[in-house]
Amino acid sequence: MGVILLLMTILGAACATVALAFAIFTKRNGFRNSVVIGAIAWCVLYAIALVGLSFLSEPSTIAMNQPKVFCGFYIDCHLHARNGCTKIQINRKSDRPRRNSTS
């Protein structure tokens, strides 16, 4: 559903730009106002949906080395990430931290 809305927004913005240029070039003020109102209405509805769905989502805490599934940019919804453990040791001679990764 997200991909469809994204494509509709991109295509709608392109069509609105062409329609707005046509309305300004031909001096059709009524058509120009309709295009502007339609574009503003779409942006407001899109923003309401974005904010509303963000408030409905619930945060989750994952256990160590448990994969978290997420979508990148609407299309690649097969991504996984894991939180790993890193152990830090202090070298007493130089007092410089050295990282050792543990699996």
Side-chain angles (χ1 to χ4, degrees):
M1 185 67 177
V3 175
I4 294 171
L5 286 176
L6 179 67
L7 290 176
M8 285 175 55
T9 302
I10 292 170
L11 291 175
C15 290
T17 303
V18 170
L20 187 62
F22 175 77
I24 291 172
F25 182 71
T26 59
K27 297 180 182 176
R28 295 183 180 180
N29 293 333
F31 183 60
R32 181 196 65 200
N33 293 342
S34 298
V35 170
V36 170
I37 289 171
I40 290 172
W42 181 263
C43 290
V44 167
L45 289 173
Y46 195 89
I48 289 172
L50 179 69
V51 172
L53 291 174
S54 295
F55 279 123
L56 290 176
S57 67
E58 296 180 12
S60 62
T61 304
I62 59 173
M64 191 64 71
N65 289 325
Q66 178 184 0
K68 172 71 175 165
V69 180
F70 63 95
C71 293
F73 183 69
Y74 290 104
I75 298 169
D76 50 357
C77 288
H78 58 278
L79 300 175
H80 295 76
R82 293 179 187 224
N83 60 345
C85 178
T86 303
K87 184 177 178 182
I88 297 177
Q89 295 179 344
I90 303 293
N91 185 354
R92 294 179 191 244
K93 292 182 180 179
S94 66
D95 289 329
R96 196 175 86 219
R98 182 182 59 191
R99 291 182 168 234
N100 289 336
S101 180
T102 58
S103 298

